[in-house]
């Protein structure tokens, strides 16, 4: 079954689409946004995935980042999925907290109840959605890059490093780099995967770069006025792990910038250009 | 009394501010957003006003247009006021419609009851707010331009043409150019100013350009897939009036674009550059 088009808006000469489909993985309807640059009218274009942070849907980055201007310039499609399953019957955090459950899927396949049935964001993003996108849209799936913000930076780094054959380029904005070491990660990985921490390592970027490395370089932007920097993000842990295994990391601490989309919009042009350079044939 | 700063975010090297103050004109608290580009650290910068459309606050253009990138490049401050008074006791459309009352002040001073006490957006924007901005922020009030979208395009054109001494440059996105001739305008000008249409002419851009002209050129972008084009916007009426009095109008019909911020974000860089050129010393 294919996509239903919920909306289409012309933007920078291309098409901003919002799509919906029934997911076999999450057993819910899932929405996502895809920007097709003008170059897609002439044939398949490379793909940049963007995974969003806690509380977000596809809409935040699509409306607030100004990313279409850069994707049109460089000829990249931009895919922005949702951050969790949603809808009637999908279990949420028992207290309705923002950092677990709805809009906080953490890009894993849950094994704990009652989340295991629906919270399958890892398989959704690595298996089901790429197949649908390849079948339905003019995308060159041999040229994919991935980025994301905060929880989505965690998703980008972990999914990217576990699929080096699929992703040529990898970057992140203010990512959670070591969920095994920070409160957001303890809650999410414990809640979805259980307290046996051996299962966590495959969803921890700092552990993954140590165990698997990465075939290319990595770009991370991080605001130094970000309220979450010291307790939840801790990029120095990832930096040390990259250094230990010789993975070239460019970690830019941006003075005065916070965790908001004003920060992302300022630097997303650099990230699109960086991915575009690595996705050229 | 000055501004209270509700939030501040670094963006493209400058400062995105959200400010609040008690307005003597509207007798309410009013919020607005101001972007100060990095150049404002070194002294007063020119000012581009942006008046928003129906249903909007300062937030739509501030979050969705990607305008900070262009204002940082050209060294312009960007002022985005609200679209009406708000709060307890402010009368709204009796049916709660989107096109009158809250978020639909139409940039006039109402003379009809029960709106006359609060709905004084014209005096607020032309007298009270400029005084506050000049006193509190590093703005060069001798170099001001004005633009806006839809209802805010109507506001920009009418306020601009009635204050040619104050505004050097004038543009609009999908503006209501002839409120006396279209349903939105009939409802708003009738509701705020009464049914004597002689009062309407000073708030009708097509009537104003005929009666007063304009000292410069005017830029208007309009999507040709805009659902409101034929019934509510009718730029051909303004185009004919400009032609009759010899005011140079560049009216760009943009193929495939609609009324959304995806349209505005695509072309706002052109408008910022256009104003910046006319606001140079």
């Amino acid at each position: 079954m294919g996509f239903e088009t919920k909306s289409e808006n012309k933007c920078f000469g291309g098409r901003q689409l919002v799509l919906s489909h029934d997911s076999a993985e999450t057993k819910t309807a899932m929405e996502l946004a895809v920007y097709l640059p003008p170059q897609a009218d002439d044939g398949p274009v490379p793909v940049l995935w963007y995974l969003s942070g806690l509380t977000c849907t596809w809409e935040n980055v699509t409306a607030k980042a100004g990313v279409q201007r850069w994707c049109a310039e460089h000829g990249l499609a931009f895919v922005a999925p949702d951050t969790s399953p949603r809808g009637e019957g999908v279990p949420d955090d028992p207290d309705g907290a923002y950092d677990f459950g709805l809009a906080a899927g953490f890009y894993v396949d849950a094994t704990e109840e009652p989340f295991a049935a629906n919270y399958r964001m890892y398989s959704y993003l690595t298996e089901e959605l790429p197949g649908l996108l390849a079948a339905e849209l003019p995308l060159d799936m041999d040229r994919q890059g991935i980025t994301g913000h905060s929880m989505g930076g965690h998703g980008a780094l972990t999914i990217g490093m576990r699929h080096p054959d699929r992703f040529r380029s990898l970057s992140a904005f203010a990512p959670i780099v070591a969920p095994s070491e920070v409160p957001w990660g303890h809650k999410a990985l414990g809640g979805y995967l259980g307290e046996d921490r051996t299962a966590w390592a495959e969803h921890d970027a700092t552990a993954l770069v140590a165990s698997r490395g990465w075939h290319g370089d990595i770009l991370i932007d991080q605001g130094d006025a970000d309220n979450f920097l010291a307790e939840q993000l801790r990029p120095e842990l990832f930096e040390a792990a990259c250094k230990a295994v010789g993975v070239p990391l460019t970690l830019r601490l941006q003075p005065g910038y916070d965790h908001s989309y004003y920060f992302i919009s300022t630097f997303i042009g650099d990230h699109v250009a960086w991915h575009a350079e690595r996705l050229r044939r």
Side-chain angles (χ1 to χ4, degrees), chain A residues 153 157 161 170-175 177 205-206 209 213-222 233-253 271 274 278:
Chain A
L157 292 171
M161 284 191 281
L170 181 55
S171 79
F173 298 86
V177 296
T206 299
V209 78
W214 173 247
H215 58 65
D217 50 356
I218 299 174
L219 172 64
I220 292 180
D221 274 311
Q222 171 65 58
L233 304 177
R234 302 182 65 185
E236 71 281 1
L237 298 177
F238 189 67
E239 187 177 36
C242 285
K243 195 171 179 186
V245 295
V247 168
L249 169 68
T250 301
L251 171 61
R252 308 193 302 188
L253 274 180
H271 284 244
W274 190 90
R278 284 154 185 77

Side-chain angles (χ1 to χ4, degrees), chain A residues 43-238:
Chain A
V45 293
V47 184
L48 179 57
W49 293 76
Y50 179 99
L51 303 185
S52 293
L54 292 166
T55 77
C56 291
T57 69
W58 54 264
E59 190 171 10
N60 304 68
V61 68
T62 303
K64 293 183 168 184
V67 70
Q68 295 87 355
R69 176 241 186 284
W70 308 106
C71 288
E73 181 173 322
H74 293 284
L76 297 192
F78 190 82
V79 175
D82 205 346
T83 50
S84 80
R86 297 175 194 268
E88 288 297 316
V90 175
D92 193 7
D93 183 277
D95 303 318
Y98 75 98
D99 57 1
F100 189 78
L102 297 181
F106 264 83
Y107 306 107
V108 301
D109 288 342
T111 52
E112 295 293 296
E113 298 303 339
F115 304 102
N118 303 113
Y119 283 78
R120 297 187 52 79
M121 290 301 290
Y122 185 82
S123 290
Y124 170 67
L125 290 172
T126 59
E127 300 301 331
E128 185 177 22
L129 187 54
L132 259 175
L133 289 167
E136 301 253 336
L137 293 173
L139 306 178
D140 180 352
M141 303 304 273
D142 291 333
R143 294 190 287 165
Q144 297 184 66
I146 189 165
T147 187
H149 174 229
S150 196
M151 175 184 76
H154 148 74
L157 292 171
T158 55
I159 288 175
M161 284 191 281
R162 290 177 66 179
H163 295 274
D165 51 323
R166 189 176 298 175
F167 296 104
R168 290 200 201 174
S169 53
L170 181 55
S171 79
F173 298 86
I176 300 169
V177 296
S180 307
E181 309 297 331
V182 305
W184 277 343
H186 293 167
K187 180 173 179 180
L189 298 185
Y192 294 129
L193 303 178
E195 291 306 328
D196 176 0
R197 293 194 174 199
T198 54
W200 297 12
E202 289 292 286
H203 296 283
D204 182 302
T206 299
L208 278 171
V209 78
S211 63
R212 297 186 179 223
W214 173 247
H215 58 65
D217 50 356
I218 299 174
L219 172 64
I220 292 180
D221 274 311
Q222 171 65 58
D224 77 359
D226 185 325
N227 288 334
F228 303 112
L229 176 54
E231 186 181 10
Q232 305 282 9
L233 304 177
R234 302 182 65 185
E236 71 281 1
L237 298 177
F238 189 67

